[in-house]
Amino acid sequence: MSDLQKILKSKVFIFIITLYSIFYIFSYLILPFSTADTTFYALIGRSLLQEHMLPYQYVFDHKPVGVYALYGVWDALTAPLPVGKFTVLALLSLAAFAAMARSIWHTRWLWVFAALVVLGAPFELLAGNTETLLITTELAVLWLTRKSTLATTQHTARTLWLLAAGVTFGLTVNINYLEGICLFLPVCFLLLTNTRPFFNVALFALGTCGGLAVLFSPYLAEGHHALADYFTQQHQFLHAYSAKLSKRIKAVLLLAAYLAVFSPILIKWFGQKSILKTAPAPDTTLLTLWFVSSVPAALLSGHLLNHYSILWLGPITIMFSKLVENHTNFSIYSFLPLIFFQSYNIQNDIHKNIKEYENINYINYRYIYEITKYQKILNIRAQQSHFYMGHLISFDKYLFHDHIDIVYGKNAAQHYLQDLSERPAFVMLPYEGCSTGKVEQSICSYIQQHYRQVYSVRVGKLNRKKPNRLSFELYKIKN
């Protein structure tokens, strides 16, 4: 038994890590949201379900349509739940992930689930962002595709499993396009290395087309080039959003640093005889190819966003569980960097979440809703999460705090002035945005002349040099 296995089986260790994990999960559960992305998906999802407005007809975001449908449905189902709804979604996703991993690789459910929760701390796994759901939907596609390869004696069963896998892929790749990259190698392996590969590919492709047809049918019913406009807006924004070379280099270096921390697991996994020296087992190859495909997917956008690393963390947790269960000899010293790294991030997350809980309570969303009810608000670089929390209505389709700057660049101020010329009922600015230079003077002059302040909040302690990002000012047009 290795040093690591002795520690993992120690009752003292289990008690400490369990207590630590409870505090860690609870720090997320007390928050209505822990990343602004999830509130934005749910906001667009609300307009989809309640107002029957297709994505990008109300507020724009560059994610595919499936993510808004999913988060909109979840937001509606958990409407009575004031806090923790996105973390509950994340935990359910991780539970399903661990169950499917157990079915394919015969790992222990609890070990995979616990490894995801603990090892996911640096990547905001419990925030409930799309990547947390993506690793589960990816595994669902692999599970269904693998099921079809096992149904060798029943032609009908094999056909149905393949069609189901394709439909699932078509639907879930529209939660995040990165799923297509993450699944490329493992799905090709499953489809092409089994009997009747062309038949497999054809049925999977047919199912994918069926899933896409179902998802985009509302756009086709809408007509008037709605589907073409959907993809055009995505393409234009993603072209402007793409990171520069310097950022891409930094993203590669950051990913290399993360993989170095997890290298004890990777070294043991890729050093196995079953991978390098003899014919590997199909399920071992499947897991390896999934990891190999997921690494470049995390780098595609070029932005330094930690939650992209969840894509390769999923298969690594299964690797780790398999290695431990197979009594792989790990040295505890090789794991010290990972232990310190995770301990720091868990402690940092707990502290950050408690501070965020205090910060959100500074804001009186009920009052804001009462004074702005059913009237549109122009957001000028303030946090977009206020619109979700206060059930507010956006004046401009570019609501996310930096989207107008991304799309219009140097002409962003001109776009805001054009919006102001249409006399929106309310305008939201960052706290002291005019005095700090976050908002251009031409915009500030117009607002001072035509609007009056009706609400402002400086979130956080007064002795802080800079106000918290949730701080904002709200202005109402003068009669």
Side-chain angles (χ1 to χ4, degrees):
M1 186 179 293
S2 68
D3 294 339
L4 182 63
Q5 287 173 324
K6 290 178 182 178
I7 292 173
L8 290 176
K9 291 186 176 182
S10 166
K11 292 182 179 180
V12 175
F13 172 80
I14 292 172
F15 174 77
I16 292 172
I17 200 68
T18 300
L19 190 63
Y20 213 37
S21 298
I22 289 172
F23 278 116
Y24 175 59
I25 295 171
F26 182 74
S27 73
Y28 274 97
L29 289 173
I30 62 175
L31 294 172
F33 66 94
S34 50
T35 175
D37 288 353
T38 54
T39 62
F40 206 56
Y41 307 146
L43 181 72
I44 300 175
R46 281 179 182 173
S47 67
L48 175 64
L49 295 180
Q50 297 177 11
E51 308 297 331
H52 307 296
M53 299 177 71
L54 294 174
Y56 311 167
Q57 292 180 348
Y58 168 50
V59 169
F60 175 82
D61 190 30
H62 60 284
K63 290 289 194 300
V65 59
V67 70
Y68 311 117
L70 177 61
Y71 279 82
V73 169
W74 180 252
D75 179 67
L77 290 174
T78 57
L81 194 64
V83 294
K85 62 173 64 180
F86 298 113
T87 299
V88 171
L89 178 62
L91 291 171
L92 290 174
S93 177
L94 300 185
F97 180 96
M100 287 185 287
R102 179 185 178 185
S103 174
I104 298 174
W105 292 283
H106 309 292
T107 51
R108 294 184 183 179
W109 180 90
L110 184 60
W111 283 24
V112 175
F113 180 81
L116 280 168
V117 172
V118 175
L119 298 179
F123 314 120
E124 300 178 323
L125 193 75
L126 295 183
N129 216 323
T130 57
E131 287 75 16
T132 305
L133 307 181
L134 207 61
I135 57 173
T136 301
T137 57
E138 287 171 17
L139 191 48
V141 173
L142 295 179
W143 185 83
L144 289 167
T145 309
R146 181 178 173 275
K147 270 288 197 180
S148 71
T149 64
L150 296 177
T152 53
T153 59
Q154 297 180 344
H155 181 75
T156 302
R158 184 178 182 183
T159 300
L160 292 175
W161 283 119
L162 273 172
L163 287 172
V167 169
T168 305
F169 177 76
L171 292 172
T172 59
V173 77
N174 279 281
I175 295 175
N176 193 313
Y177 293 137
L178 295 176
E179 178 161 326
I181 298 171
C182 295
L183 289 179
F184 179 74
L185 289 179
V187 167
C188 285
F189 170 75
L190 288 171
L191 296 178
L192 299 177
T193 59
N194 287 284
T195 56
R196 304 180 69 184
F198 293 109
F199 173 80
N200 297 340
V201 172
L203 277 181
F204 187 89
L206 182 63
T208 300
C209 292
L212 293 174
V214 170
L215 192 65
F216 289 113
S217 57
Y219 283 95
L220 298 174
E222 180 90 1
H224 306 292
H225 309 290
L227 191 58
D229 290 343
Y230 166 85
F231 285 111
T232 299
Q233 289 183 70
Q234 269 192 358
H235 177 266
Q236 290 174 345
F237 182 86
L238 289 172
H239 178 74
Y241 181 67
S242 182
K244 296 179 181 178
L245 180 60
S246 59
K247 271 194 172 183
R248 290 186 178 277
I249 293 172
K250 290 178 181 177
V252 171
L253 294 175
L254 180 65
L255 178 59
Y258 284 152
L259 291 176
V261 173
F262 284 86
S263 61
I265 301 171
L266 296 173
I267 290 170
K268 289 293 184 181
W269 180 262
F270 285 97
Q272 295 178 101
K273 290 182 179 180
S274 61
I275 291 180
L276 296 180
K277 296 182 179 179
T278 61
D283 289 338
T284 301
T285 302
L286 179 65
L287 183 56
T288 304
L289 291 175
W290 185 19
F291 168 76
V292 170
S293 291
S294 299
V295 171
L299 292 169
L300 188 65
S301 74
H303 292 279
L304 293 166
L305 299 174
N306 288 344
H307 55 83
Y308 289 154
S309 290
I310 295 172
L311 298 174
W312 53 260
L313 179 70
I316 275 188
T317 57
I318 301 173
M319 292 176 181
F320 182 49
S321 297
K322 284 289 293 181
L323 290 169
V324 172
E325 290 176 28
N326 291 339
H327 305 288
T328 303
N329 186 25
F330 282 107
S331 167
I332 189 61
Y333 297 105
S334 67
F335 270 85
L336 286 178
L338 180 59
I339 292 170
F340 289 132
F341 183 60
Q342 296 300 330
S343 299
Y344 167 78
N345 281 285
I346 290 175
Q347 196 170 21
N348 183 63
D349 269 13
I350 293 173
H351 175 73
K352 182 187 70 175
N353 290 340
I354 292 173
K355 292 290 294 181
E356 194 77 343
Y357 172 79
E358 296 172 352
N359 291 335
I360 291 173
N361 286 332
Y362 275 91
I363 305 168
N364 190 342
Y365 285 112
R366 179 174 293 182
Y367 174 74
I368 298 167
Y369 173 74
E370 290 297 329
I371 63 175
T372 63
K373 192 182 298 184
Y374 308 124
Q375 298 184 82
K376 293 183 178 181
I377 303 171
L378 173 62
N379 183 34
I380 303 180
R381 302 192 181 104
Q383 282 294 313
Q384 64 282 346
S385 55
H386 301 311
F387 284 74
Y388 170 79
M389 295 294 294
H391 294 266
L392 311 179
I393 303 173
S394 178
F395 180 83
D396 194 298
K397 75 173 182 178
Y398 294 113
L399 170 62
F400 207 90
H401 69 275
D402 62 354
H403 275 186
I404 285 181
D405 291 292
I406 292 172
V407 174
Y408 292 96
K410 295 179 180 179
N411 297 319
Q414 188 63 37
H415 180 82
Y416 282 126
L417 287 170
Q418 184 178 344
D419 278 345
L420 288 169
S421 68
E422 298 178 31
R423 298 175 62 81
F426 290 87
V427 177
M428 186 180 289
L429 302 179
Y431 186 82
E432 295 181 344
C434 291
S435 60
T436 58
K438 289 183 179 179
V439 181
E440 293 84 350
Q441 283 303 311
S442 56
I443 297 173
C444 294
S445 298
Y446 188 95
I447 291 174
Q448 289 170 3
Q449 184 177 356
H450 298 281
Y451 288 81
R452 60 183 177 85
Q453 188 178 109
V454 291
Y455 184 83
S456 71
V457 57
R458 190 188 194 283
V459 175
K461 295 180 179 179
L462 295 175
N463 58 1
R464 287 185 57 181
K465 291 183 179 180
K466 292 183 179 180
N468 183 276
R469 73 189 191 289
L470 294 175
S471 307
F472 69 96
E473 299 171 347
L474 186 65
Y475 294 83
K476 183 178 182 180
I477 195 166
K478 297 176 181 177
N479 295 328

